Amino acid sequence: MSYGYESVTINSGAAVGSDGSATANNTSGHVVTGQICSIGVTYGDSPPGTTDVTIATAGNNGPALTNANTSGWFHPRHVVDTNAGADIEYADGYSVYDKVCIADNIKVTIAQANSPDTAEVVVVYYAGR
């Protein structure tokens, strides 16, 4: 067992189809277990501004980059809930956020792209088992 920060890289594969509607997807080769810290997205070829990239697991939709074709790093967080399922707030209208926990394969989908555009996604996570 390892502890600390780890990463997994998933490439969508080359999009297939007509320009503006080409799509592809790929899933990580192993289950990722830990807290997602950061996600880096690098686009390959020259995707149009209509390109969508979705990073998801089998049971949960993750970040969706809509109409995006610029590479960059993102730091997804979610609102923390009470045991009753209500959002926790530290002041009226200000929610508390934390890293997203995961124990699943990660699927990367590129859509509304051109053939043969790609999206390479690096997920950095803390594997504190």
Side-chain angles (χ1 to χ4, degrees), residues 9-46:
T9 302
I10 307 108
N11 191 300
S12 66
V16 176
S18 302
D19 284 356
S21 63
T23 186
N25 65 70
N26 199 7
T27 303
S28 62
H30 68 280
V31 171
V32 174
T33 303
Q35 295 176 316
I36 295 177
C37 300
S38 299
I39 296 175
V41 179
T42 304
Y43 293 94
D45 201 39
S46 185

Side-chain angles (χ1 to χ4, degrees), residues 8 10 27-36 55-62 100-108 123 125 129:
V8 60
I10 307 108
T27 303
S28 62
H30 68 280
V31 171
V32 174
T33 303
Q35 295 176 316
I36 295 177
I55 301 127
T57 65
N60 186 14
N61 285 334
V100 178
C101 294
I102 183 174
D104 206 341
N105 291 85
I106 297 174
K107 180 179 180 181
V108 172
V123 177
Y125 61 100
R129 299 180 201 117

